[in-house]
Amino acid sequence: QVQLVESGGGSVQAGGSLRLSCTASGHTNKRYCMTWFRQAPGKEREGVAAIEPDGATSYADSVKGRFTISQDTVSNTIYLQIDRLQPEDTGMYYCAAEAPVAGTLVTDLYKYWGQGTQVTVSS
């Protein structure tokens, strides 16, 4: 089992920045692809950024240029830097790990999920 704990969410004004963190614990001797998802109110959960154990990254087209995913392999933590926040970025942000397809942003393929951290952007 792998446990994922997200942090770093909050309420910010449009144009601001946030850095979200997700720390994995449990069976972390195996390295997993880890991914950030978000779910806006009334919408389906969508993948926004993934990072593979070797550091390769992938992004949803809608966030390219504003979102940056990174990892610290020593602390088993991944980060999501969000710049130039927009009201449409509002939602719950979840961290997920382990999928059979490297770098995938498909929700249903991930085995482990965190509880999420809320991001609220006001205009």
Side-chain angles (χ1 to χ4, degrees), residues 2 14 17 32 38 70 74 92 97 100 104 117:
V2 173
S17 297
Y32 301 104
R38 68 180 177 186
S70 60
V74 174
M92 188 70 78
T104 182
T117 186

Side-chain angles (χ1 to χ4, degrees), residues 40-82:
K43 295 188 177 181
E44 292 187 356
R45 194 171 299 187
E46 62 171 345
V48 294
I51 189 162
E52 299 174 42
D54 65 0
T57 59
S58 56
Y59 296 91
D61 288 343
S62 60
V63 305
K64 284 181 181 176
R66 294 194 303 117
F67 286 30
T68 305
I69 190 170
S70 60
Q71 64 183 354
D72 180 344
T73 57
V74 174
S75 63
N76 294 314
T77 300
I78 65 168
Y79 303 96
L80 186 68
Q81 177 71 36
I82 310 175

Side-chain angles (χ1 to χ4, degrees), residues 33-35 50 52 58 98-106 109-110:
C33 175
M34 295 182 70
T35 298
E52 299 174 42
S58 56
E98 191 175 355
V101 179
T104 182
L105 298 178
V106 177
L109 294 181
Y110 280 85

Side-chain angles (χ1 to χ4, degrees), residues 6-26:
E6 302 97 333
S7 62
S11 296
V12 297
Q13 289 192 328
S17 297
L18 280 175
R19 190 174 84 150
L20 310 182
S21 301
C22 171
T23 299
S25 61

